[in-house]
Each structure stands twice: as structure tokens, then as C-alpha cells.
Amino acid sequence: MNKLLIICTTGLGNFINFTPTLYELKKKYKITIVVDKRRGFFEEIKSWDLFEKVLDVKELKTGIINKYQRVIYSIFSEYNIDPNIVKRLEKKATYIKLRNKNMDLLETNINLKGLNLKSKKAPFFMIKNRNIKWAKKNINGKYIVLSPGCNNTKRWIKKRWEDEKWLQLSKELNKRKIKHFFIGRQSDYSKYLFSEINKKFIGIGLGKTASIIAGSYLFIGIDGGLAHLSSAVNTKSLVLFGPANP
């Protein structure tokens, strides 16, 4: 079986949107995927049977690239990849190039290259059994999750809902005795909002967060990685879109 190298420096949402294509690629290739270790999903996907290897982007060397028959890559501008590596990617005859685009566009790009990949599988995210057990142990009964945050770069932070509205929503849910939890990373929150809410399940890591989302009966959040994850684990979702193309 041929080997395929995928270099994916994108975020969680676009990675999840790419999973149906990964599922089809697995049927034809032994896949090594290169992602940023700082991304929350790096540790989680190490156990997925889709991949032969999962490497950190800092491990990417020209010698590694030479071992693969095909290369798919999506390198975003914030990554200072060695120019010699980029040059090798661009010269490699069998590479499939997609640069400075969203990862979910890769499926179209692959089809244009004649690989004829058509997947009916929905986006997915595999959760470790130990995290599912952890969530069941720590939360009893029905509950919903609230996800106020997204990428905190200047471009995306505009998508966030106002702090007071999240607090008002939480207050209303308490009035109705609806159990709910805020989730995500501390960086997803303003200092003010973080100081006003229950922090029990904030900053617990993506694996445990995914298990909490999967166990909830409703996800309420803004357009971001966790909203994509909610859909991927079949949790009903109410997603709030800010000034961005949905």
C-alpha cells in the first residue's frame, strides 16, 4: 500500500470537516499526518486507526517528505515552515497542493487531481473510552453545554456573543432548573466572563470536553471548533454566527 503524507496546520473545525476524506484515503494509503502539537486534537488522534503516524509540525524534515508517494498539504501563514521544506513540497511531482485554504476544501482539490474520492460518511470525532467513562462518572442526569469561545485571534474574536448575554442565558437556565456547564479553554473567555461562571469543566483538555459534549442533550455555542465537534458526535446544536460566512 502506498504511503501518503498529510500536513495539516489548520484548526479543529476544518480538521473535523476533513475526516470523511481521511476515511476514504485510509482505504488506499498508509497515512502519516503532521499537525501542530499545540492543537488540542494532536494527542487525541494519536489513537485513531486512520493514521500510521501522527507527527508534530516541528518534526517535519525534507527527508520525511521524500519517503512518501503523495503529499497533501495546507500550510497557513502563521507557521514559519523552513523554506527548503516548502520548496521540496512544491517540486514533488505527485503532491496535491492546497495552501492558505480551509482544510474542508481538500476533498474538492483531491477530486480535481483524479483520485475520485467521494464519501457519504459524515464528519466524525472518535472519543476514547476512558474519557466517556470519566464524563459519566463526573456528571449525572441531563445537561446542556455552553461554548462562548472560538479562536481568539483578532480576525475571529468578533464572532463571539457578548458576555452579558451568556450570563443572562445562564441565569435563565438556572431559573428553569436546567443543568448546564460552560466548556472550552480559559482563553475562550474574557476575564470578566471567566470570573462570573462555573469553571468546573473549563480547561480540561479536548478529549474530556468532547466526552462532555457527546453526553449532553444540547450544545449552545458560537461558530468554532467545538460547534463542529458537537455535530461530529451527534449532539443537537444551536450555533450562533457572528460576522462571518457560515
Side-chain angles (χ1 to χ4, degrees):
M1 186 178 286
N2 287 340
K3 292 187 175 184
L4 171 67
L5 179 67
I6 298 176
I7 304 166
C8 171
T9 63
T10 187
L12 176 63
N14 286 323
F15 172 79
I16 288 174
N17 285 343
F18 187 44
T19 53
T21 300
L22 286 171
Y23 179 80
E24 297 302 324
L25 287 169
K26 176 67 168 61
K27 297 175 183 178
K28 298 184 177 184
Y29 299 96
K30 290 182 179 179
I31 301 173
T32 293
I33 190 165
V34 180
V35 299
D36 187 343
K37 193 174 184 178
R38 295 172 297 178
R39 301 288 189 185
F41 58 88
F42 176 82
E43 291 296 333
E44 297 307 309
I45 66 174
K46 279 184 174 180
S47 62
W48 290 19
D49 61 5
L50 288 175
F51 309 117
E52 186 176 42
K53 294 179 183 177
V54 178
L55 303 177
D56 179 26
V57 68
K58 290 183 178 179
E59 299 178 68
L60 187 60
K61 307 292 182 184
T62 303
I64 291 176
I65 297 168
N66 292 338
K67 295 178 182 179
Y68 293 86
Q69 285 77 29
R70 285 186 180 272
V71 175
I72 296 173
Y73 73 101
S74 174
I75 299 175
F76 284 70
S77 57
E78 66 266 26
Y79 290 88
N80 296 317
I81 304 294
D82 185 333
N84 291 325
I85 293 175
V86 175
K87 187 176 180 181
R88 177 58 186 149
L89 288 170
E90 292 177 342
K91 283 187 174 181
K92 192 170 177 64
T94 56
Y95 77 104
I96 303 166
K97 177 183 176 184
L98 187 72
R99 195 174 185 193
N100 296 324
K101 300 281 187 179
N102 287 336
M103 201 61 168
D104 49 319
L105 297 178
L106 269 174
E107 186 170 7
T108 301
N109 185 255
I110 291 168
N111 286 334
L112 289 174
K113 287 290 183 178
L115 293 187
N116 195 27
L117 289 176
K118 294 182 180 179
S119 180
K120 294 182 180 179
K121 194 173 182 67
F124 59 88
F125 191 87
M126 292 182 273
I127 304 173
K128 296 173 183 175
N129 286 332
R130 69 169 181 265
N131 287 328
I132 294 172
K133 291 177 181 177
W134 175 89
K136 289 180 178 179
K137 181 179 178 181
N138 283 274
I139 307 177
N140 296 316
K142 296 177 66 177
Y143 62 93
I144 69 175
V145 291
L146 307 181
S147 176
C150 64
N151 189 318
N152 60 1
T153 59
K154 185 176 180 180
R155 176 185 174 190
W156 296 111
I157 204 166
K158 295 177 182 178
K159 293 163 54 169
R160 295 184 180 181
W161 208 26
E162 290 92 337
D163 290 348
E164 290 298 339
K165 291 181 179 178
W166 285 111
L167 293 175
Q168 185 179 349
L169 173 60
S170 181
K171 184 178 179 180
E172 186 63 31
L173 291 172
N174 284 329
K175 277 185 183 180
R176 299 177 184 229
K177 297 183 179 180
I178 298 174
K179 188 185 295 185
H180 61 283
F181 303 104
F182 285 90
I183 58 171
R185 304 162 299 182
Q186 183 174 345
S187 60
D188 291 340
Y189 295 80
S190 69
K191 290 182 180 179
Y192 168 66
L193 181 57
F194 189 73
S195 70
E196 296 291 320
I197 60 174
N198 185 324
K199 308 169 186 60
K200 183 177 181 180
F201 295 120
I202 296 174
I204 59 175
L206 185 62
K208 290 179 178 178
T209 298
S211 68
I212 289 176
I213 294 173
S216 69
Y217 70 89
L218 179 65
F219 169 97
I220 302 176
I222 64 167
D223 174 29
L226 294 185
H228 288 282
L229 195 154
S230 175
S231 176
V233 298
N234 298 314
T235 294
K236 290 183 179 179
S237 305
L238 174 59
V239 181
L240 309 172
F241 288 89
N245 186 349

